[in-house]
Structure formats: C-alpha cells, structure tokens
Amino acid sequence: VSIRYSDSVNEYLKYVALRIDSIEIEPLIVRLSISIGDTKVIRKQMMILIIISVLIAVIVASGLGLQFANRITRPINELINFSKNITKGNFKSHVRVEANDEIGMLACSFTEMQQQLDKTITQLREKNAEMKAMLDSMIGGVIAVDNKNRIILINNAAIEIFNINSEKIIGENILLVVRNQLFNKLIKKYYKDASRDKQQVTDIQVDEQHYKIYCSKIETKQEDKTSKIIGALIIIQDITNIRKLEQIRSDFVSNVTHEIKTPLTSIKGFTDTLKNGAIDDKEVAQHFLDIIDIEAERLSNLIGDILELSEIETMKKDIRIENYCLEDIVKEVLDVVTQSAAQKNIEIGYTLDSDIHLVRVNKDRLKQILLNLVDNGIKYNNEGGKVHIVCKRHYKMIEFQVKDNGIGICEQHIPRLFERFYRVDKGRSRNQGGTGLGLSIVKHIVNLYGGHLKVESEIGKGTVFIIQLPIAV
Ligand code: ADP
C-alpha cells in the first residue's frame, strides 16, 4: 500500500498492489488506485451509518431495559412500601402485585402474613383492653415492676392511692414515682432476698388512709421447664376501715373498763369505810349506803346500756314490729320522766298531728329513742325549763322533734355527739347518772330502721333532735 502524488491526475492517490498466486495460471498482480478524497467520503459515510445504528441500538436497548426493569422494581417498591406500613402499625394497607412470578408469590405471602399479624394484634389488643378494664375495676391497687424496678403495669386504683400525676408511668422507676418511705423500704427489702420466696408485707399511711402492701415475685416458666423471676407484683389493700374498727373496739374496751371502774372503786371505798366503823354512826352509814346505791344503779344502767347497744348493733332487722298508737307511746314516755321533770320543775309536753294514729314499729325501741332524748332534755336543762315532743308526717316518714330550752351544745361537739361514751361535760353527765351511751343507742336504732337523724343547737338557748323514721302506716 502506498499513498503518493499522481502527476497524471494531479492529486494524492492511494495505491494498493496485491499478488494473487494460483496453480492453474501464472501469478497475477492486481493494482488498484483510488483518490484519497474518495476514501474519506466513504469512511465518513460509514461512520455516520455506525453512529446511527449504535444510537438506534442504544435507544431500543434502553427502552426494552427500562420496561423490563420496571416490571421487576415496581412490585419490589410496592412490597417495600407495604412492609414500611406494617412496621408503622398500619395493618389495613394493601399490596397490588398481579405478577405470577416469584415476586407475585412473595406479595401473596406478605398479604397472608399481614392478615395473620392483623388478627393476632387485634386479639392481643382486645385481651389487653379486657385485662386493663379488669385491673381498673379492682378496688385495690395493683402494680407490676420488672427486676430493675421499672413499672410494667399499674391500675387506676394504685395511681389514685399514690396520687401519681406523671403522664408516662409505664417504664418509670417505681421508687421515684411513689414517694413513700415505708413503701420504698419494702421494695428494697424484697430485692435484697436473693430467692425472693418470701412475700413482703407492710402497712403504710397515705394522708388519712391506711394501706397494707403485699410484694411478691412474678415468675414465668421457661421452655426448659425452669422458672425465671421477671419482677415483682405489688398489691395495695385499703385497711382504713379495719383500722378504724380496731380503734373503736380498743377505745370501747378502755372506756367500758374506765366507766365500770369508777363506780366499783366508789362502792368498794364506802363499803370499806362502813366496815371500819362508820356503820355504827347511823346517819353517816345511811349517807354512805345511799351513795353505794347510786353507784350500783349507775353500774346497772351502764351494763344495761352496753347490752342494749350490742343487741341493736348485731341486729340486721327488727322483727318485733307491730301497729301501735303513737300517742300512747308518747304518753308512756312522758309518764316515765314525769317525776324527774317535776324535781327540776321542768314542763314536759307533746304535739301530735291529727292525721297520725298508728305507727308500725317495735314499741320498745321507739320508746327508748324518745326516752333517751327527753331524758337528756331534762338532764341538760335549767330549773323551770321546757321539753317538748313534736310528731308530724314527713312524706312517708314520721318526724319526731325533741326540743328543749336547756344549756345547748357547742357546734364543735355535734359531729362526735353520737359516739359511744362521748360527753360534752363529763362531770355534769356523771352527776346526772348519764352513761354516755344514750345518743349512741338512739343513732343505732335510727340506722336499724333506715331513718335520718339531725341535731340543731345553740349554747344557752336549747337543742332540738330531729328524727325521721319510715314507720308511718
Ligand atoms: P349521757 O348519758 O352522758 O347523757 P348521751 O349519749 O345521752 O350520754 O349524750 C351524750 C352527751 O351529749 C351528753 O353527755 C351531753 O353532754 C350532750 N347532750 C345530749 N343531749 C343534750 C341536750 N339535750 N342538751 C345539751 N347537751 C346534750
């Protein structure tokens, strides 16, 4: 091959000489020449052709590739979005993949898994809601904590008992949430015991309320049948009423002992004095015997009242109920106190609505209420005072008002007036032969009948006891 200037055509030519060897003929030399300008044109044309074909090939290939890629990535993207929705807790979303290939099968499995998860989680939610409702309906408090004292579960009662305001309680440390020394001590004591087999119990006080706290382990069974302690269960029981009852009982025992001791000491003292010679002095002996008589009477009244009170207290319902004329009952009551009223020159009387005739009641109990109140009206009254019983209808009830114009009761004593042995003026009550149980008996009888009881009083002006009983016929 040679490129040189051709003088004959006056331009550069490309010469190519090729020897062709053959057996049949003599060897040949083929010589060709072509203008360089022509080869450039040919090369350019070929280049254009190649570029166009490459471009067409690229466009066609990328079109086909895109379509193919789209067929694979679209369902994958669908699945990615779908699984993201599930992670966010949206179990209602759907996946739209219609392909019949592996991705289509994967989408089907995803949908099945989503439906199963949705079902399981709905069941779990329902179970949780039931459990929470049950725990919240419990009167006692329940708290479960894990081994690091973090709250796993707490019911409304416990939140109210400890007055917990924090918004997010679950996961908080119980010792920081409940600020009660004894409570915290109990939890720490529980964790100190390595085996945690012993239930820890303590009594605590929050404001005016008393609680018993029980702390025991929460144990779960593992697959290999061994058990694992995962935390502690704390039960809080309100024992305020039990405490109050215990207090009342112990107060009652000490009061009774004290009340019995005083007259007994007095009787013993005067008997000893009589035995030591005072019996020979007739006048003195008579005086001492009178005192012994009064003290014995007081003892007998006291024991009578205690028995009466315990009988009424243990009674669920009065069974000896019959129809009686109310006026007769009121008259009988006033007859009993006529003498004591006369001694203090106290005027006693009654008014009775004309439409009341019969009442359905245990006569003795009603008499006892009225007698205790009228007797107090006389006892805590001044010479020449008045005591009056008013009986009237109040809807389906009979209302009794026992009014006096005596010494009155200071407002601060009124809330405690019906407690056993509660006296405003101890000395005056004892001197009058009072046991301190009269109003307590009244209150218990009124309660037995499901009635209402009220006191209005003003110092120096007098007192009125208002009782409503459902005994109208
Ligand atoms: P007591 O046997 O001492 O009278 P009560 O239970 O009947 O016991 O009464 C309790 C206390 O209430 C009395 O000690 C007295 O101080 C006061 N009280 C009761 N009734 C009256 C009244 N009508 N007027 C003034 N004080 C009264």
Side-chain angles (χ1 to χ4, degrees), residues 39-275:
T39 57
K40 271 187 184 160
V41 169
I42 292 168
R43 211 185 294 152
K44 205 172 161 190
Q45 280 173 350
M46 274 175 71
M47 278 301 282
I48 290 169
L49 264 176
I50 289 167
I51 289 169
I52 289 172
S53 347
V54 166
L55 273 178
I56 290 172
V58 165
I59 290 168
V60 170
S62 40
L64 282 172
L66 260 177
Q67 208 190 349
F68 189 66
N70 208 22
R71 263 179 54 199
I72 296 176
T73 53
R74 201 187 56 80
I76 290 179
N77 281 339
E78 278 271 342
L79 286 176
I80 290 172
N81 285 339
F82 178 66
S83 56
K84 273 186 188 162
N85 276 335
I86 292 182
T87 318
K88 282 183 202 156
N90 177 9
F91 294 99
K92 300 288 171 218
S93 71
H94 293 284
V95 63
R96 285 183 304 276
V97 176
E98 277 122 30
N100 287 326
D101 52 10
E102 282 79 1
I103 292 184
M105 279 157 69
L106 187 65
C108 269
S109 310
F110 255 66
T111 310
E112 267 172 36
M113 180 191 77
Q114 173 230 27
Q115 284 165 353
Q116 196 56 42
L117 263 175
D118 189 18
K119 212 168 129 190
T120 315
I121 286 180
T122 310
Q123 279 174 352
L124 274 174
R125 277 205 188 116
E126 279 170 8
K127 276 235 156 66
N128 262 353
E130 273 171 26
M131 176 98 158
K132 185 160 172 21
M134 275 189 312
L135 281 171
D136 284 342
S137 325
M138 282 175 72
I139 299 164
V142 180
I143 305 174
V145 290
D146 65 13
N147 285 327
K148 287 190 172 148
N149 280 340
R150 286 173 305 209
I151 301 172
I152 309 170
L153 177 152
I154 184 164
N155 73 344
N156 277 349
I159 292 176
E160 271 165 35
I161 290 170
F162 294 117
N163 210 0
I164 302 170
N165 295 320
S166 150
E167 295 262 299
K168 194 187 135 285
I169 314 169
I170 303 298
E172 293 287 303
N173 188 324
I174 187 79
L175 301 179
L176 299 177
V177 173
V178 176
R179 301 228 170 246
N180 184 293
Q181 264 195 358
L182 286 171
F183 180 89
N184 292 2
K185 216 169 136 189
L186 173 94
I187 305 288
K188 284 178 189 157
K189 201 171 156 198
Y190 164 77
Y191 281 109
K192 249 189 204 159
D193 170 22
S195 68
R196 293 182 201 160
D197 274 336
K198 227 167 82 191
Q199 185 186 52
Q200 302 291 341
V201 185
T202 194
D203 288 357
I204 67 162
Q205 195 180 344
V206 181
D207 302 327
E208 297 291 294
Q209 303 294 108
H210 294 267
Y211 299 99
K212 203 170 228 17
I213 314 282
Y214 301 89
C215 180
S216 47
K217 64 182 171 188
I218 307 175
E219 214 172 14
T220 52
K221 285 264 175 291
Q222 308 277 89
E223 272 175 20
D224 58 359
K225 297 257 161 60
T226 56
S227 51
K228 186 180 165 202
I229 298 171
I230 58 159
L233 184 71
I234 304 154
I235 306 279
I236 308 137
Q237 183 194 1
D238 190 340
I239 52 161
T240 314
N241 283 342
I242 299 172
R243 272 292 156 82
K244 270 191 195 149
L245 278 177
E246 281 168 3
Q247 189 60 41
I248 290 172
R249 198 182 307 147
S250 92
D251 284 354
F252 183 69
V253 171
S254 71
N255 276 326
V256 168
T257 321
H258 179 74
E259 293 293 331
I260 291 178
K261 208 176 151 201
T262 319
L264 268 183
T265 318
S266 179
I267 292 172
K268 177 105 180 52
F270 285 109
T271 322
D272 286 347
T273 323
L274 283 173
K275 271 168 48 189

